[in-house]
Amino acid sequence: MGADPEGERLIMPLNVTLVSAEAELWTGEASLVVAKTVEGEIGFMAGHEPVLAILASGQVRITGADGAKVVADASDGFISVEEDVVTIFAGHATLVA
């Protein structure tokens, strides 16, 4: 995270890519990503520790840096988080909102 001249912390966005076996469905900057994994639902914001998790069938919800909401149904894949880069690989995924 960066800092402004007064020493306050600035929130840096996540760089998110959501891909299925067929196509890239969404890519962009986000403030929040929530996904269902085999161990439960998990959310990611900037500064999150590295994660590699198996996706469970369910929704992936992305809140864009501009506040726009993106929702996809996804299954058969995994999610990777490292250094504010979130990559969601799904065998099957469709945008629903």
Side-chain angles (χ1 to χ4, degrees):
M1 292 195 184
D4 70 12
E6 284 77 40
E8 294 179 21
R9 292 176 66 100
L10 299 176
I11 296 175
M12 305 300 289
L14 296 167
N15 293 303
V16 180
T17 302
L18 170 61
V19 296
S20 72
E22 295 84 28
E24 182 177 281
L25 299 176
W26 190 86
T27 188
E29 293 185 338
S31 60
L32 176 66
V33 176
V34 178
K36 186 175 179 185
T37 72
V38 295
E39 297 195 18
E41 194 169 74
I42 189 168
F44 304 100
M45 297 176 75
H48 199 285
E49 64 185 52
V51 171
L52 182 61
I54 300 170
L55 281 176
S57 294
Q59 288 190 337
V60 173
R61 299 186 309 277
I62 301 167
T63 302
D66 62 357
K69 307 287 186 192
V70 176
V71 179
D73 286 332
S75 63
D76 300 326
F78 64 94
I79 185 165
S80 169
V81 179
E82 187 170 0
E83 296 183 8
D84 293 338
V85 175
V86 179
T87 308
I88 303 148
F89 298 97
H92 307 284
T94 55
L95 291 176
V96 295

